[in-house]
Amino acid sequence: MTLSKSSQPDWDPRSSTVLDDQIAAYDDMRRRCPVAHSDYLHWSVFRHADVMQVLEDHGTFSSIVSQHPSVPNGMDPPRHTAYRALIDPYFAPERVQAFEPICRDIALDLIARLPNDGEVEIMDGLARDFALRIQCAFMGWPDTLHEPLRQWTRRNHDATLAGDRSATAAVAREFDGYVRTLLDLRRSAGECAPDDVMSRLLRERIDGRALTDEEIVSIVRNWTVGELGTIAASVGIVAHQLAVCPDLQQRLRADSSLLLPAIDEVLRMHGPLITNRRITTRAVEIGGRRLEAGARISLIWASANRDEAVFGNPDEFRLDRDPSQNLLYGAGIHVCPGAALARLELRVVMEELLARTDRIALVPENRPVRAAYPASGFASLPLRIERGA
């Protein structure tokens, strides 16, 4: 069917029901109205097969969804191909492996600050600080950026949820200013500039020319927004799952080789990233509904990864699932280039958390508070930590 401007929306993504429990709300929409229209998210696609249709058909479903450049997320082939070839080496196996000792030191420092025995709010006590510090360390940014980035992340979240374009633009300009200042510092340092990600981006060439500052800012923004939000959310989601599943805790303490598939499975069940966008280039039918050219689409990852048609009971924790079906890091040409880095970071922090605790549990008298869109996971997560003598 074609939705006219006068038609009633199928749902309200900003209703209290949805924001109070996003995962349950998306499960309901997937079963009841798998391709749904709203004033806020336009067309939302909830089923795994429909999401894959979008991901695999670049000609019909374009990633160029904004008038502002987004490198390479907001590009289609063949332009996307050249930029992706430039970016992928930053996450090459040897670079990811070289980052592990730094990542482990950060995890150890933060975990050492947790109480030996007692209650801790894990989002502020570990998850958000871990995401900030590893991002700054990987990029070669100074520690003085930790607090500004923390505050910027909150303002970005609030502006996105409110749908306030002027606030969103102001937040974007603020972040751009941080990056441009760092670029200017490296230019002025000349040969004395640190050999970090920012300096290497200044040396990159595309189509025989240097990257513009606008392109570098876009690349770095994409990396940073994804890292700060999803890594923090992922740490909280996995820690919560460990707290509610003591048997899983002990199994992973006994066999750390299971951590990577276990983390991927937990994050399939409760996705740390809610949505990405596309726009149609021509009329198309998807999920039994007809979308006209120019229709804006939201891919609801947190629903597609719980689709009963692919995963059976979406809340059943299993380590024997086909990993190729898991859309945690996307799929196709836009699959997350930093997937290996994210997996390393999450493995290391959970490895150290489990190794340095005897028990992680919920606090019955202090319940978790779920995060609201566009965030996922938990806004606050009180946990009880117990350690041996």
Side-chain angles (χ1 to χ4, degrees):
M1 64 173 287
T2 300
L3 187 77
S4 68
K5 291 183 179 179
S6 61
S7 297
Q8 291 296 313
D10 298 308
W11 70 310
D12 180 3
R14 290 186 288 184
S15 70
S16 59
T17 301
V18 174
L19 295 180
D20 287 348
D21 190 343
Q22 293 184 84
I23 302 302
Y26 302 150
D27 283 349
D28 175 65
M29 291 302 299
R30 183 178 64 253
R31 297 158 185 157
R32 179 170 62 84
C33 187
V35 177
H37 193 270
S38 68
D39 294 332
Y40 182 54
L41 292 182
H42 306 285
W43 289 99
S44 294
V45 179
F46 294 93
R47 291 191 302 205
H48 191 282
D50 296 331
V51 168
M52 289 302 300
Q53 177 184 342
V54 173
L55 296 178
E56 292 172 348
D57 185 354
H58 316 297
T60 303
F61 303 97
S62 173
S63 294
I64 306 173
V65 296
S66 172
Q67 60 181 342
H68 303 292
S70 179
V71 184
N73 306 39
M75 294 177 169
D76 296 328
R79 195 162 178 242
H80 168 272
T81 307
Y83 284 93
R84 186 59 188 256
L86 181 149
I87 286 167
D88 281 349
Y90 284 81
F91 303 98
E94 60 273 14
R95 285 189 172 172
V96 172
Q97 185 177 359
F99 187 62
E100 180 167 351
I102 299 170
C103 181
R104 194 172 297 278
D105 285 345
I106 293 170
L108 284 169
D109 179 58
L110 291 170
I111 291 167
R113 301 182 189 191
L114 299 178
N116 284 331
D117 291 285
E119 183 179 331
V120 61
E121 201 291 285
I122 209 74
M123 296 307 299
D124 281 336
L126 176 62
R128 295 187 182 104
D129 280 342
F130 179 70
L132 278 167
R133 288 180 59 179
I134 57 173
Q135 175 65 6
C136 287
F138 184 76
M139 298 297 294
W141 292 347
D143 293 350
T144 53
L145 264 183
H146 291 173
E147 191 55 32
L149 282 175
R150 186 195 313 277
Q151 297 301 325
W152 175 83
T153 301
R154 290 172 180 165
R155 287 192 292 273
N156 187 51
H157 171 274
D158 292 344
T160 303
L161 177 58
D164 185 335
R165 292 187 177 182
S166 62
T168 302
V171 169
R173 286 193 299 271
E174 178 186 352
F175 180 83
D176 293 359
Y178 296 144
V179 179
R180 291 178 189 276
T181 297
L182 291 166
L183 292 175
D184 289 343
L185 287 171
R186 278 149 183 76
R187 286 193 181 99
S188 63
E191 294 182 358
C192 297
D195 184 23
D196 58 14
V197 170
M198 303 296 287
S199 295
R200 288 196 292 272
L201 286 170
L202 282 170
R203 298 193 296 266
E204 293 287 2
R205 312 288 293 180
I206 190 82
D207 298 330
R209 61 166 177 82
L211 290 172
T212 65
D213 280 10
E214 187 177 42
E215 288 169 327
I216 295 175
V217 166
S218 179
I219 291 168
V220 173
R221 187 194 306 117
N222 283 331
W223 290 352
T224 305
V225 172
E227 182 81 356
L228 294 182
T230 57
I231 291 296
S234 296
V235 171
I237 292 166
V238 176
H240 178 265
Q241 186 69 17
L242 294 175
V244 300
C245 297
D247 290 346
L248 177 60
Q249 265 188 69
Q250 295 311 115
R251 186 179 179 188
L252 296 178
R253 283 193 178 95
D255 186 358
S256 61
S257 70
L258 298 176
L259 264 172
L260 278 176
I263 290 169
D264 277 7
E265 173 67 352
V266 170
L267 298 179
R268 177 201 63 76
M269 294 163 61
H270 186 161
L273 178 66
I274 298 298
T275 185
N276 278 140
R277 298 182 295 163
R278 297 291 191 274
I279 189 167
T280 57
T281 62
R282 59 177 74 100
V284 63
E285 183 172 306
I286 182 167
R289 303 193 78 163
R290 179 179 171 83
L291 278 61
E292 300 300 330
R296 295 188 173 274
I297 297 175
S298 298
L299 303 178
I300 310 297
W301 304 110
S303 170
N305 250 357
R306 294 174 54 81
D307 191 335
E308 296 84 352
V310 176
F311 301 104
N313 179 357
D315 291 309
E316 181 185 6
F317 177 88
R318 288 174 46 186
L319 292 177
D320 62 346
R321 297 189 188 276
D322 179 358
S324 69
Q325 301 285 358
N326 192 334
L327 300 179
L328 173 59
Y329 296 101
I333 65 167
H334 286 285
V335 68
C336 176
L341 177 64
R343 285 190 169 103
L344 166 84
E345 293 164 349
L346 295 172
R347 172 181 62 80
V348 166
V349 70
M350 287 302 153
E351 202 170 74
E352 297 300 342
L353 183 62
L354 288 169
R356 282 156 179 76
T357 58
D358 293 326
R359 181 171 176 264
I360 304 167
L362 295 178
V363 182
E365 64 276 15
N366 199 354
R367 296 174 62 84
V369 176
R370 293 186 178 95
Y373 183 91
S376 184
F378 299 92
S380 69
L381 178 59
L383 295 179
R384 189 170 302 282
I385 301 292
E386 297 178 8
R387 309 198 203 206

